[in-house]
Amino acid sequence: MSEQLKWNFTVQVVGGPTLAASGKQVVDAYNKSQVVVPASSNGTAGSIELTLDTTGASILIIRASRYVDPDTPANRLQYAVTVGGTTADPVDLTGPLVLIGESAVRLLGDPVASLTFTNPIASDITIDTLVGVDATP
């Protein structure tokens, strides 16, 4: 039985144009997860690895409770992608990551095996992920 995932977004330039889009992804299954990345302590960033399989994925969403330390903006949540046993260099996650379409999800690697989140901020960060997959591509 298939599942429908509805999505929409709106971005408005203050005093300027608005860009909006919406649609749906029909998937065979989805996986929603939530993890907490521990706060930085004594100069050591908190870290957690989230196992994730994007085989056949057509939508991937990553949302965090915080992305940037408001007191020290240079301290940013980071993630590193592991594909085929190789972990890429970490990159800053400064806002939600939304990838819609199989080709878009493959931009991270094909397939992603895990994401490692690193938190240099002095408070815990909650990460929510949603992956929708076609089990019979």
Side-chain angles (χ1 to χ4, degrees), residues 11-58:
V11 177
Q12 181 178 10
V13 177
V14 176
T18 297
L19 177 65
S22 63
K24 66 180 179 181
Q25 292 297 115
V26 177
V27 299
D28 292 326
Y30 66 89
N31 181 6
K32 182 188 179 305
S33 61
Q34 184 177 78
V35 296
V36 175
V37 187
S40 174
S41 178
N42 297 324
T44 302
S47 181
I48 192 165
E49 182 178 1
L50 174 63
T51 302
L52 189 72
D53 182 0
T54 61
T55 302
S58 63

Side-chain angles (χ1 to χ4, degrees), residues 113-136:
S114 67
L115 298 171
T116 301
F117 294 95
T118 305
N119 176 11
I121 301 169
S123 59
D124 292 349
I125 295 177
T126 301
I127 306 284
D128 293 298
T129 62
L130 178 71
V131 179
V133 299
D134 180 358
T136 56

Side-chain angles (χ1 to χ4, degrees), residues 68-86:
V68 178
D69 186 337
D71 298 323
T72 311
N75 290 344
R76 299 175 176 179
L77 176 65
Q78 292 189 318
Y79 73 101
V81 178
T82 300
V83 176
T86 302

